[in-house]
Amino acid sequence: MTDVIERDEVGAKLADQGLCTAYQLQSEQTHIGPRDSASLPGPWNLPSRLLQSPVSMAAPFNGEPRRLGVRHPLLAQHPFVQQIEQALGIQLEPCGIPNRSGIRNDHGQWHHAVDLVSAGHWRDLIETRDLTSADHIAGAVAYGLDYSNHDSSRKGHITTAEARTIMAAIGADEPADAMALVRIFAAPVLSSQGESKKGWPINTRFDADRNARTWGRIIGIERGWFDYDRSGHLQWAESGRARYAAGDAPTFTETSGQAAFAF
């Protein structure tokens, strides 16, 4: 059962100055931000959930006062953060707010990376990569290759050329052993994906590191192992399934019956 959260002095100041809503004040823990982040100067106006809601807030609990923190230390320069600090006359905690169990579980750095890749702002992601991590960026690149925008192209949120540029920016070099990239994927299996629809989803082995997962997709798309279905989801292509079945063999037989070199 949710505790009743009483009106407190800090919360009253925030509400009176329009810096958060009454609903947010009643949440045990939430994130708050400006009402119109798109009107802010760059980079604070980017379509990133981390930038749109840069402050974490925890309600009063067990005698402790309301707490507010910056979700990333570099967000101390965010106009909304400075507005809050000026309104309250305090400095926000620099590394966010833990939950009532003392655990910090903020996905803002992941959201920053995946939001910008999905919105086509991958160049801005490179420029603001200090707000996230190389691991999150590599994961967002894989996401951007796996899924597509809802338009007619349906060929991923980003291209493999763009993916290569991003990976270079974070120092994630292309693996020398392309054969090893095949092994990070589970064997292709035909799967039902809804009524009268089947597909060949790409499943990565649990022990594969983030960079290998991403490079596997980049090279897989470029070599024709993977292709996009009609809904814009990346899946195994016929040539990729034949390549996987060949294992470590230097050549394999394509679906056309023609022999091809593995690499």
Side-chain angles (χ1 to χ4, degrees):
M1 182 175 180
T2 303
D3 298 330
V4 175
I5 299 172
E6 298 180 357
R7 184 175 174 90
D8 59 289
E9 182 179 355
V10 171
K13 287 183 178 179
L14 292 172
D16 291 344
Q17 297 194 38
L19 296 173
C20 73
T21 65
Y23 178 79
Q24 290 170 327
L25 288 178
Q26 292 300 310
S27 299
E28 291 183 3
Q29 188 164 10
T30 189
H31 301 134
I32 61 175
R35 293 184 177 180
D36 183 17
S37 60
S39 64
L40 296 177
W44 316 118
N45 58 355
L46 291 173
S48 154
R49 280 170 280 181
L50 179 65
L51 298 180
Q52 292 170 347
S53 300
V55 175
S56 58
M57 180 173 67
F61 175 68
N62 200 24
E64 294 292 327
R66 184 175 298 276
R67 297 175 64 184
L68 293 100
V70 183
R71 297 177 67 191
H72 189 286
L74 293 180
L75 293 177
Q77 302 303 313
H78 194 293
F80 183 76
V81 173
Q82 295 181 339
Q83 185 180 6
I84 290 248
E85 291 182 337
Q86 183 176 5
L88 299 179
I90 61 172
Q91 186 173 1
L92 303 191
E93 298 183 38
C95 297
I97 303 297
N99 62 23
R100 292 182 176 182
S101 299
I103 299 173
R104 297 180 186 273
N105 190 26
D106 190 333
H107 301 293
Q109 293 189 37
W110 162 248
H111 291 154
H112 182 70
V114 76
D115 288 349
L116 293 186
V117 165
S118 300
H121 284 262
W122 61 270
R123 292 183 180 85
D124 292 314
L125 175 58
I126 293 175
E127 291 298 319
T128 60
R129 61 186 179 276
D130 288 343
L131 289 171
T132 181
S133 69
D135 190 58
H136 285 317
I137 292 174
V141 171
Y143 178 92
L145 295 171
D146 278 343
Y147 303 100
S148 304
N149 293 313
H150 297 293
D151 55 31
S152 58
S153 62
R154 298 184 183 276
K155 294 293 183 181
H157 290 294
I158 55 175
T159 66
T160 56
E162 293 165 347
R164 284 180 171 275
T165 300
I166 300 170
M167 296 297 280
I170 62 174
D173 297 330
E174 179 178 351
D177 185 2
M179 182 72 75
L181 291 178
V182 177
R183 300 189 191 104
I184 72 168
F185 297 106
V189 176
L190 183 62
S191 173
S192 176
Q193 299 177 344
E195 186 176 349
S196 69
K197 181 182 179 183
K198 295 183 181 297
W200 296 88
I202 300 168
N203 295 306
T204 314
R205 298 186 185 278
F206 73 93
D207 56 345
D209 67 46
R210 183 76 76 179
N211 289 347
R213 294 167 184 257
T214 305
W215 276 111
R217 284 161 169 78
I218 294 172
I219 293 175
I221 293 170
E222 292 175 343
R223 300 194 178 192
W225 301 343
F226 307 138
D227 199 2
Y228 292 93
D229 63 16
R230 294 173 64 181
S231 63
H233 294 86
L234 195 66
Q235 64 173 356
W236 284 97
E238 289 186 8
S239 61
R241 302 197 296 272
R243 171 67 198 91
Y244 193 95
D248 293 339
T251 62
F252 68 98
T253 303
E254 296 181 327
T255 53
S256 63
Q258 180 176 353
F261 287 103
F263 298 101

